[in-house]
Amino acid sequence: MPLLNDINALKIIKFGVGTLTKITLNDFKESYFYKNELIRLCREYHLPVYGTKAELSHYVYLYLSGVPAEKIKAYRTSPTKPSLKADEITLKTKLVGSGFTFNNEARKFFADYFNSDHFSFKKEMAVIKRQAETNNNTNMTVGDLIKQSQKLQNDSTQRVHILAKTSEEATYQWNNFVKDFCHSSESYSFNDKLKVAALLWKHVKHSKQPKRYSHDLVKIFSEEISQFRK
């Protein structure tokens, strides 16, 4: 990984009050955007505003690459039917077009199905559902979702392969950054690891460098984070 050895190399994309500052494709590729920022960009450029961070990023990428806004179509559309209640969901419920969504009601259904006090949605479940929506697969059911996700959970090699191929994985940079910092030996020198990680991330987010934690960051920004040293 190239070192962040030049603070002046940090590049910030500024958002104007009324409209967004124009950015180039290169600026976009080198910067990190939160989902609300991507939605704002999509609205500014008259692009689809529904989707995951990866999908929204791709719409902006296409636009900045020269594709006219009217030719950029949404991979998936926002649900039009009301969300189903837990007691309305069955194994035969369709993933697409039924009103089924990953919310607290669906969590209640899965908790009851698996006889668990608490249920957390798995990444592979989200991948399977998004793929069904993208392909407009109106045949896939909740039962199919359970079977396919369990199959992936029991096959770690296939699971890693599937998740690695999903563009959404690349949008978890902040979470990965915090995890890597907190697991590093440098982090034990600080009282509030999360605040230190946030300060370092602020610089990395707006830089041209990969959005990953590097040991050198603690040295480069040592003065700024010194107040949190033990």
Side-chain angles (χ1 to χ4, degrees), residues 17 21 32 34 40 48 73 82 99 103 108 121 123 126 133 153 158 169 173-175 183 187 199 207 211 220 229:
V17 176
T21 299
Y32 179 89
Y34 293 110
R40 189 178 172 190
K73 306 301 181 183
N103 56 14
K108 291 177 185 177
F121 297 113
K123 283 184 180 181
E133 292 170 342
Q153 290 175 45
Q158 182 67 5
E169 280 295 295
Q173 291 119 319
W174 158 245
N175 291 336
H183 288 169
S187 69
L199 285 172
S207 78
K211 311 307 180 217
I220 295 171
R229 287 191 179 277

Side-chain angles (χ1 to χ4, degrees), residues 9-16 19-34 37-38 40-41 45 60 64 202-208 211:
L10 299 176
K11 186 175 185 65
I12 299 178
I13 303 299
K14 293 184 178 295
F15 286 78
T19 59
L20 298 174
T21 299
K22 291 184 178 180
I23 62 175
T24 66
L25 177 60
N26 196 51
D27 288 335
F28 184 72
K29 291 192 295 184
E30 292 175 347
S31 300
Y32 179 89
F33 292 86
Y34 293 110
E37 294 172 331
L38 289 170
R40 189 178 172 190
L41 275 172
Y45 299 143
V60 177
L64 295 176
K202 177 184 67 175
H203 293 291
V204 172
K205 171 192 171 184
H206 297 302
S207 78
K208 292 184 177 181
K211 311 307 180 217

Side-chain angles (χ1 to χ4, degrees), residues 30-163:
E30 292 175 347
S31 300
Y32 179 89
F33 292 86
Y34 293 110
K35 186 171 183 178
N36 65 321
E37 294 172 331
L38 289 170
I39 291 175
R40 189 178 172 190
L41 275 172
C42 286
R43 284 186 177 140
E44 182 78 10
Y45 299 143
H46 305 290
L47 304 173
V49 295
Y50 174 78
T52 64
K53 281 188 65 179
E55 290 167 343
L56 297 174
S57 292
H58 188 60
Y59 300 149
V60 177
Y61 179 89
L62 290 175
Y63 178 81
L64 295 176
S65 298
V67 179
E70 61 271 17
K71 291 188 176 181
I72 300 175
K73 306 301 181 183
Y75 291 123
R76 300 178 298 131
T77 57
S78 178
T80 56
K81 289 190 175 182
S83 298
L84 296 175
K85 298 294 185 180
D87 59 4
E88 297 176 311
I89 302 172
T90 71
L91 294 179
K92 295 183 179 180
T93 297
K94 306 292 185 181
L95 294 187
V96 178
S98 66
F100 172 81
T101 186
F102 288 150
N103 56 14
N104 285 333
E105 293 299 317
R107 186 176 286 110
K108 291 177 185 177
F109 167 81
F110 286 116
D112 181 64
Y113 178 82
F114 289 109
N115 194 26
S116 172
D117 293 332
H118 178 75
F119 178 84
S120 298
F121 297 113
K122 309 297 188 297
K123 283 184 180 181
E124 52 268 24
M125 296 180 75
V127 170
I128 293 168
K129 185 174 183 293
R130 282 198 298 268
Q131 191 62 50
E133 292 170 342
T134 299
N135 296 334
N136 194 30
N137 186 341
T138 56
N139 293 318
M140 183 170 284
T141 65
V142 170
D144 295 327
L145 173 67
I146 293 174
K147 290 179 182 178
Q148 289 192 24
S149 62
Q150 288 181 326
K151 183 177 179 181
L152 287 178
Q153 290 175 45
N154 294 329
D155 188 340
S156 58
T157 301
Q158 182 67 5
R159 180 180 185 275
V160 170
H161 176 69
I162 293 295
L163 292 180

